[in-house]
Each structure stands twice: as C-alpha cells, then as structure tokens.
Amino acid sequence: MRGLFFGLAGIGLSMTYSILNFANFSHGDLVTSGAFAGMMATYVVAGGFGAEANLGSLLLVGAGGSVFGASLGIGVATSPLAVLVGVLVAGVSAIGLALAIDRLAYRPIRDRSGIALLITSIGVAFALRYLIQFIFGPGRRGVTASGDVPSIAVPLVDGTVSVNLHEISLVVVAVVLMGGLHLLLQRTKLGKAMRAMADNEDLARVTGIPTERVIRSTWIIGAGLAGVAGYMFVIWNGTLHWFQGWVLLLPVFAAVILGGIGSIYGAIVGGLVIGLAMSVSVVWIPTGLSRAAAFVVMIVMLLVRPEGIFSGRSTA
C-alpha cells in the first residue's frame, strides 16, 4: 500500500523534472493540500451540514477536536459517497493550486536556471505548509471510522493476510490512474507531445508542439495524481496532519531516483520497491529505522545500476 502511494505521488514529481527540468520541493505540500481539501469535502458530505457539528468545524476537518471522523462514520463502506466526493475534490483542488502557483511563481522565472526554480519551490513549500497549519491547526487527527472497515483473509502458503476495504480501494484507484496515464502517454497526441518535450524541448518547440499547453497539462496530471494520492493515503492510514506531505517527500524522491529520474514507469516501480523495503525491513530492525532501510536499498541498487531501474530514460 505504501509503495503504491509513493509510485502514484512520484509520477508528478518525475513529470515535473523531465518536462520542466527542476526538482519540485513543493510537491509534498501539494499532496497535503489535496488531502486536506478532499477530507474537508468528505467531512461536509458525511456530516450532513451540521448533523454532528456546525459547518465551520466540518470545513476545518475537526480542528481542535471539534468533530471526529469516527463519529461521522467516514469510510469507504460507511460513507462511500463522501469518500468519492473527497477523491474528486482532492484532485481538482490540487490541480487548481498547482496552476495558480505556476502562474504566480514559476512561469516568470521559467527561463532561468533550474536552481532558481528549485529554491522557489522550497519557498512555495514552506508557504503552503504553514498556511495549512494556520487554517486547519497543528494537531494530528483521526479522520476515519477504522473499526467499521470490512476485511477479508487472503490465504497464503504459511497463513493468511488480512486485507481491508480501504487497502483494496487504494489499490484500485492507483492501478486505474496508472493505467489511464499509460494509455494517455502512449495513445494520444498529448502523450506523444509530452514525451517529445521531455526528450528535447528545443526540438519540440521548433517542430510546432505547443509547449505551454504541454506544461499546463503536466501540472494538471501531476498535481491531480498528487492530490488523489494524498487523500487515498489518509483514507488508508486513518490520520491527517499539516506536515504529512513533507514527511513523505523524501521517500517519494527516493522512489523517483531509484526508478530513474524522468521515467514515469520508473517512479511507479521505484515507489513499490521503496514501500516494500520500508515495510519488510521491520521484520529485522526497529520500526523507527524502516525509512533508513529503504534508503540503504536505494543506495545499493544505484551502485549496481547508477542510472536507475529504467536506465534514466527521460520519456515514459
């Protein structure tokens, strides 16, 4: 589950690097923004506009313990409409935010060096993070009714593994979005234009490819996937806090680097490897060291294959 999130969130980061040529450090806070926006919509729909709390508390996602996800019965099984609305709002809000940031912060300096864009993205990340803290508060909150999640026992060779509906939902959403992106990149004119621009921006511009449209599409796809990934991670994990995306950004970066910087498929595979490494490593080492174990795996694999799993291809 963790690996699917890293892969889904890493797609946008990889697309930004390959097409816009800079590492976007505000990507993690786009994940957080999408998660909060989606959960805000979920609280409002599940809360019935004041059935359990006033509208202000619902819009603030229960800031200060004013209302809890468990009391609203938030979950894929208990409030499917609220979760569906949350997924849509998470993606759309992240897209709108990314386009606004590009218009205000990135477009005016797009012709400068990648370092200028990178430093700007760090500033944008801090601004987003502390704006979220100011609006929604600093507290970590539980946002789902975890006890009401149906689960099934999947038989394996030496026992069974319990898989609940939230995990299945994350798998379905991630696979559908990744499959849709594959079809877009391989079967549409926009996908071909994006791959061409990733390979050689100057040549793409000379041949008449509308580069501004491609850049806008890159933000739409990358931010939309980031927002949905953030929301589905919260549904699966059950908790939400203001620096969640920032904490998860380094493993996402590791997934992108491991898969091959600029390769979208590499980001997906790299995410699965990093997620599995973090989860499986706790069999032998303390849980607090699982993140370090994932980075050790990344370093070892890069020593064997320095350009990444997908050989650093800049196209899909």
Side-chain angles (χ1 to χ4, degrees):
M1 302 303 112
R2 187 177 285 109
L4 284 173
F5 163 76
F6 290 153
L8 195 60
I11 290 172
L13 199 60
S14 186
M15 291 176 68
T16 303
Y17 185 88
S18 61
I19 294 177
L20 302 181
N21 297 314
F22 81 100
N24 181 17
F25 274 81
S26 66
H27 192 75
D29 297 284
L30 280 178
V31 171
T32 309
S33 300
F36 266 97
M39 197 52 64
M40 180 175 65
T42 300
Y43 264 53
V44 170
V45 174
F49 292 94
E52 295 292 337
N54 61 52
L55 183 59
S57 298
L58 296 173
L59 288 173
L60 292 176
V61 197
S66 53
V67 64
F68 298 96
S71 65
L72 298 176
I74 292 176
V76 175
T78 51
S79 57
L81 177 60
V83 172
L84 178 60
V85 171
V87 170
L88 296 175
V89 171
V92 171
S93 62
I95 290 170
L97 182 60
L99 291 175
I101 292 171
D102 179 56
R103 182 67 176 268
L104 297 173
Y106 298 142
R107 185 185 296 181
I109 60 172
R110 192 176 292 157
D111 295 332
R112 300 184 187 179
S113 66
I115 296 297
L117 286 166
L118 186 148
I119 297 300
T120 301
S121 73
I122 294 175
V124 170
F126 276 103
L128 286 178
R129 195 173 316 135
Y130 287 101
L131 180 61
I132 291 171
Q133 183 198 31
F134 176 76
I135 294 174
F136 294 99
R140 182 190 296 264
R141 65 207 77 185
V143 292
T144 61
S146 57
D148 298 326
V149 185
S151 62
I152 58 173
V154 180
L156 293 177
V157 176
D158 58 347
T160 61
V161 172
S162 178
V163 180
N164 64 45
L165 189 57
H166 287 175
E167 294 170 335
I168 296 172
S169 300
L170 176 56
V171 172
V172 170
V173 170
V175 170
V176 168
L177 290 178
M178 290 174 181
L181 180 62
H182 167 75
L183 293 176
L184 183 145
L185 289 172
Q186 301 296 334
R187 303 291 178 86
T188 67
K189 290 183 178 180
L190 173 61
K192 293 177 181 178
M194 294 177 76
R195 290 189 286 125
M197 190 169 172
D199 283 337
N200 192 318
E201 182 179 354
D202 293 332
L203 183 59
R205 196 185 306 273
V206 169
T207 54
I209 291 176
T211 54
E212 278 299 323
R213 186 182 305 171
V214 172
I215 291 172
R216 185 165 60 250
S217 299
T218 300
W219 284 117
I220 290 173
I221 296 170
L225 293 178
V228 172
Y231 179 82
M232 292 308 301
F233 181 85
V234 169
I235 288 292
W236 167 66
N237 191 49
T239 61
L240 177 65
H241 55 90
W242 61 279
F243 58 92
Q244 199 155 31
W246 177 249
V247 172
L248 296 169
L249 182 61
L250 279 181
V252 173
F253 261 116
V256 171
I257 294 170
L258 178 61
I261 296 178
S263 172
I264 292 171
Y265 300 136
I268 296 171
V269 175
L272 290 172
V273 173
I274 293 296
L276 287 171
M278 290 180 64
S279 297
V280 175
S281 64
V282 300
V283 175
W284 300 284
I285 62 175
T287 304
L289 298 177
S290 62
R291 194 180 301 267
F295 281 94
V296 169
V297 170
M298 181 195 74
I299 292 170
V300 171
M301 293 191 69
L302 289 178
L303 288 174
V304 177
R305 197 177 180 89
E307 294 182 337
I309 296 173
F310 275 63
S311 300
R313 291 186 299 176
S314 59
T315 59

